[in-house]
Amino acid sequence: MSDPTPPKIEFPCPGYIIRVMGESSEHFRAHVVEVFTRHAPDFDRDAMKIRPSRNGRFESVNVVITATGVTQLEAIFVDLKKHPAVQMVL
């Protein structure tokens, strides 16, 4: 049988990817950048990947950070979800 406990993340964790999905707009993207600038100021904006949905109404933004701890990740998720255009954070 497999162990139901998810693997533990060791911090710092370079290359940690967070995907934010939301309504396609400049305000949505600006919010994502603002949150990551606050909580992970060393993230590489140029490495962000933005993928539009098939109809262009939504988009996903992948951001790669060096995760420093659970507290940082929780703060990122909470702050991202505060914007009404954000649909999901993974």
Side-chain angles (χ1 to χ4, degrees):
M1 304 214 74
S2 65
D3 185 3
T5 307
K8 300 241 186 241
I9 300 171
E10 292 187 26
F11 297 104
C13 181
Y16 191 88
I17 300 171
I18 297 176
R19 178 176 291 167
V20 187
M21 290 170 266
E23 296 173 19
S24 182
S25 74
E26 196 59 42
H27 295 289
F28 167 69
R29 289 184 295 280
H31 175 69
V32 171
V33 169
E34 187 273 324
V35 168
F36 281 99
T37 299
R38 187 171 348 117
H39 295 290
D42 60 339
F43 88 101
D44 184 2
R45 283 186 186 192
D46 296 329
M48 286 177 47
K49 293 183 183 173
I50 301 171
R51 292 194 178 105
S53 65
R54 190 177 330 180
N55 66 6
R57 183 172 172 213
F58 298 97
E59 60 190 17
S60 70
V61 180
N62 286 358
V63 181
V64 180
I65 65 168
T66 297
T68 59
V70 173
T71 303
Q72 176 202 37
L73 295 176
E74 288 174 347
I76 290 171
F77 278 64
V78 166
D79 284 354
L80 286 170
K81 291 178 183 179
K82 287 181 180 177
H83 196 281
V86 173
Q87 300 294 311
M88 188 179 307
V89 181
L90 302 172

